[in-house]
Amino acid sequence: MENFKNSSSQLLCHLQRTKRSFCAIISVLFLCLLSYNSATMFFAKVPFPARNLQEPPSFSPETVAGESRKSFSVPSLTKLSPSVPFGIKKEVSVEKLKIHLPLSRKNPNLVVFARNPPEPASFPREVAEKSRKSFSVPSSTKRSPSVKFSIKKGIPVEKLRTHLPLSHKNPNLVVFTNRTALQHPIRRKKQSQAFKILGSEAKMKQFSVRMKEFLLNSSCEYRFFMTWISSVDSFGGRELFAIESLFKSHPNGCLIIVSNTIDSRNGMQILRPFLAKGFKVTSISPDFNYLFKNTAAESWFNQLMKGNVNPGEVPLGQNLSNLLRLGLLYRFGGIYLDTDVIILKNFGNLRNVIGAQTIDFLTGNWTRLNNAVMVFDEGHPLVYKFIEEFAQTFDGSKWGHNGPYLVSRVVLGAGTGYNFTVLPPMAFYPVDWNRIGSLFEGPKSLAPSKSKWLLAKFRQINRHGYALHLWNKQSRRFKVEEGSIIQDIMYDHCVLCNFSSLDM
């Protein structure tokens, strides 16, 4: 019994020591876990500076174009096509590269992305496929809330969606636009019209030589110029009769029709009847660069050819005709006529004159001039002012702004010292455009009061008029009636007098 008690007490003492050891082990484990957690929390709260840490780029407006691109990298395995205008070498920082992106004028730090860009020349596909996978941004980069897109670490660039316009031909390339004629379909169309008016380069190069040869060999008593920017087929009976009236009053004069379309085989066929009669007439394609050299129009025309001038809504050919006549008079001197002007009298006593279209009947002062008939010496300073005004104030969307209103503006502010004369409307524009139709009507179609007005007008025209502007745009729809004033003028001022072929 005593032995049993001793064994029990020994076993109890052993169990107590084991319990204390177990508790001690648990306590040590708990202390280790607590120490580990504390150390982890302490490490997370105390940042250790990284080696060579740079200030992360910001996407604020002041730095988006500059510092943010420091994170751009391209691997050395990326192959760039020779057609790409810039290359990237391994270990070369992007700060040293010069990428030609347009910048905003308001903020030079902001890159401008056009909303509706044109389609650029497509880059090789392998460049877009390989280079775009290499784009990376550090995870530590702080981004401004104003940025419309974000980049997360680990997301490939192929899955990113940005607000930049993409090329329709190559969806991998962002399009950066150059604001030229390529952006404007209408401007491209108008620019192509300009090239059609100009004609071939070979003809343009011959312009000055052909002009000088014709004027020198023809022994011209008078130099007349016309321009024609339409097709050769639209040069009809009314235009031909204008030429007849010119040679009726000036048989020793020379006529040069500056036109790309008339300067052709078909065009010379139209002029053949006049050549057969011995009249001096030809057609030569224009050279705008030669005509406007050392004038304000030289730079303007170059910008037009580059697509940097908005042609406007008015047909470009009409505005180029307004400029072309000025260049001809400034470079060669002489008499310019529209193709719908009938000559009634010899211009022998006219020099440096322009005609008024309308006048104020109370004061007798002119209110508007017109450029359908002009007579000026070579290199006249007023014509130079006309050219300068055209280049400085060109507006292709206002009818007459670059024509009649232009010469009116310049003459109104010209002052003294230019040595020119403004003739009254009766000289070149005896009948205004809104009453020109009455000249085509015969006696049977007229009321008695209108007949008296026409008879008085006809006498005025014959006595004081040098020319009669028919205002083709308004009078084209009228037919010449029997006994009309236009019919009498046709009989009095024709040289071919083949009225059966005249489509007036």
Side-chain angles (χ1 to χ4, degrees):
M1 188 67 181
E2 186 176 0
N3 292 332
F4 176 76
K5 290 183 179 179
N6 292 332
S7 300
S8 299
S9 60
Q10 290 177 0
L11 179 61
L12 182 61
C13 291
H14 180 71
L15 290 175
Q16 290 179 349
R17 286 196 299 270
T18 303
K19 184 178 180 181
R20 285 196 297 271
S21 300
F22 178 78
C23 292
I25 293 173
I26 296 299
S27 301
V28 171
L29 292 175
F30 179 79
L31 290 174
C32 291
L33 181 62
L34 183 62
S35 301
Y36 175 78
N37 290 337
S38 300
T40 303
M41 294 173 61
F42 179 80
F43 177 78
K45 291 181 180 180
V46 180
F48 292 93
R51 185 171 51 187
N52 297 329
L53 180 64
Q54 297 180 355
E55 183 181 355
S58 173
F59 280 83
S60 61
E62 291 77 10
T63 60
V64 66
E67 296 182 9
S68 63
R69 57 182 179 179
K70 296 178 181 178
S71 305
F72 186 95
S73 64
V74 177
S76 59
L77 295 178
T78 301
K79 296 180 180 180
L80 296 178
S81 170
S83 62
V84 180
F86 56 87
I88 302 176
K89 297 182 179 180
K90 185 177 180 181
E91 302 298 330
V92 177
S93 62
V94 180
E95 295 169 324
K96 298 181 180 180
L97 298 177
K98 294 186 180 297
I99 302 176
H100 301 284
L101 302 180
L103 298 179
S104 169
R105 293 182 179 178
K106 293 183 180 180
N107 191 338
N109 298 315
L110 292 177
V111 179
V112 178
F113 303 102
R115 173 174 287 181
N116 295 315
E119 297 181 359
S122 60
F123 286 72
R125 189 174 184 81
E126 62 270 18
V127 177
E129 291 292 342
K130 293 182 179 181
S131 62
R132 66 175 183 162
K133 295 179 182 179
S134 306
F135 185 92
S136 63
V137 177
S139 60
S140 61
T141 301
K142 296 181 180 179
R143 298 168 185 85
S144 172
S146 62
V147 181
K148 295 184 179 180
F149 60 90
S150 61
I151 303 176
K152 295 183 179 180
K153 183 177 181 181
I155 299 179
V157 179
E158 297 96 321
K159 298 182 180 179
L160 295 178
R161 294 292 182 267
T162 71
H163 295 279
L164 303 180
L166 300 178
S167 169
H168 296 291
K169 290 184 178 179
N170 190 342
N172 300 313
L173 295 176
V174 177
V175 178
F176 304 99
T177 62
N178 181 18
R179 297 200 171 273
T180 63
L182 298 177
Q183 293 177 281
H184 309 277
I186 297 179
R187 192 174 296 183
R188 289 200 303 267
K189 182 179 180 181
K190 295 289 184 71
Q191 190 179 18
S192 65
Q193 293 176 0
F195 285 114
K196 290 180 180 178
I197 295 170
L198 297 179
S200 66
E201 185 176 356
K203 286 185 177 180
M204 289 192 296
K205 290 182 178 179
Q206 299 173 4
F207 173 77
S208 61
V209 176
R210 293 175 63 189
M211 285 285 290
K212 293 176 181 178
E213 286 181 354
F214 179 79
L215 295 175
L216 182 63
N217 298 333
S218 300
S219 301
C220 305
E221 185 178 355
Y222 303 97
R223 295 180 182 179
F224 287 92
F225 298 99
M226 291 181 176
T227 62
W228 186 256
I229 48 86
S230 302
S231 66
V232 65
D233 296 331
S234 59
F235 198 88
R238 188 169 296 195
E239 289 75 27
L240 289 172
F241 182 69
I243 297 177
E244 286 196 53
S245 67
L246 185 154
F247 287 119
K248 179 71 174 183
S249 302
H250 308 83
N252 296 322
C254 297
L255 172 62
I256 302 174
I257 304 175
V258 181
S259 168
N260 176 47
T261 57
I262 304 299
D263 185 15
S264 62
R265 181 177 300 178
N266 292 337
M268 295 309 297
Q269 190 68 27
I270 294 175
L271 302 178
R272 191 173 298 279
F274 298 98
L275 296 172
K277 287 278 188 178
F279 297 119
K280 304 164 187 175
V281 57
T282 189
S283 180
I284 304 177
S285 297
D287 183 355
F288 283 79
N289 292 319
Y290 173 82
L291 289 173
F292 304 130
K293 188 175 182 180
N294 299 326
T295 69
E298 181 179 16
S299 175
W300 178 90
F301 184 74
N302 290 334
Q303 292 300 315
L304 176 69
M305 291 296 96
K306 294 178 182 177
N308 297 330
V309 175
N310 182 10
E313 301 300 325
V314 177
L316 180 60
Q318 180 176 322
N319 283 320
L320 286 179
S321 176
N322 286 325
L323 182 60
L324 180 57
R325 68 191 66 182
L326 299 177
L328 291 169
L329 291 179
Y330 183 75
R331 192 62 66 186
F332 300 102
I335 304 166
Y336 170 79
L337 300 172
D338 273 358
T339 55
D340 59 347
V341 173
I342 298 175
I343 303 299
L344 304 176
K345 192 182 298 183
N346 187 280
F347 280 31
N349 61 341
L350 298 183
R351 185 178 179 184
N352 298 326
V353 298
I354 190 170
Q357 178 181 332
T358 57
I359 61 171
D360 186 339
F361 291 103
L362 296 178
T363 63
N365 298 326
W366 62 267
T367 55
R368 185 193 301 174
L369 306 182
N370 201 290
N371 63 340
V373 181
M374 294 184 290
V375 184
F376 283 100
D377 294 338
E378 176 183 344
H380 196 279
L382 184 64
V383 180
Y384 183 87
K385 292 289 290 184
F386 290 156
I387 297 174
E388 188 177 55
E389 178 74 7
F390 186 101
Q392 293 177 354
T393 66
F394 176 80
D395 189 336
S397 297
K398 295 180 180 179
W399 185 92
H401 177 83
N402 310 301
Y405 293 110
L406 181 147
V407 295
S408 300
R409 292 195 304 270
V410 173
V411 171
L412 186 63
T416 60
Y418 284 93
N419 187 26
F420 70 97
T421 303
V422 176
L423 297 181
M426 189 55 62
F428 305 136
Y429 316 102
V431 181
D432 207 0
W433 61 269
N434 56 354
R435 305 192 71 174
I436 193 66
S438 60
L439 299 185
F440 291 79
E441 298 176 358
K444 296 180 181 180
S445 305
L446 298 173
S449 59
K450 198 170 185 180
S451 297
K452 293 181 181 179
W453 177 84
L454 279 176
L455 182 60
K457 180 62 67 175
F458 182 62
R459 290 173 179 172
Q460 281 184 327
I461 292 173
N462 284 334
R463 186 178 306 148
H464 304 290
Y466 284 92
L468 173 63
H469 192 195
L470 294 182
W471 309 102
N472 264 1
K473 187 175 182 180
Q474 286 74 28
S475 67
R476 179 68 77 180
R477 65 182 184 274
F478 298 117
K479 298 295 182 181
V480 179
E481 297 183 5
E482 189 70 26
S484 63
I485 290 180
I486 291 296
Q487 187 187 54
D488 291 340
I489 291 175
M490 289 170 61
Y491 281 115
D492 291 341
H493 298 86
C494 66
V495 292
L496 302 178
C497 301
N498 187 11
F499 297 119
S500 60
S501 65
L502 287 178
D503 182 19
M504 293 288 288

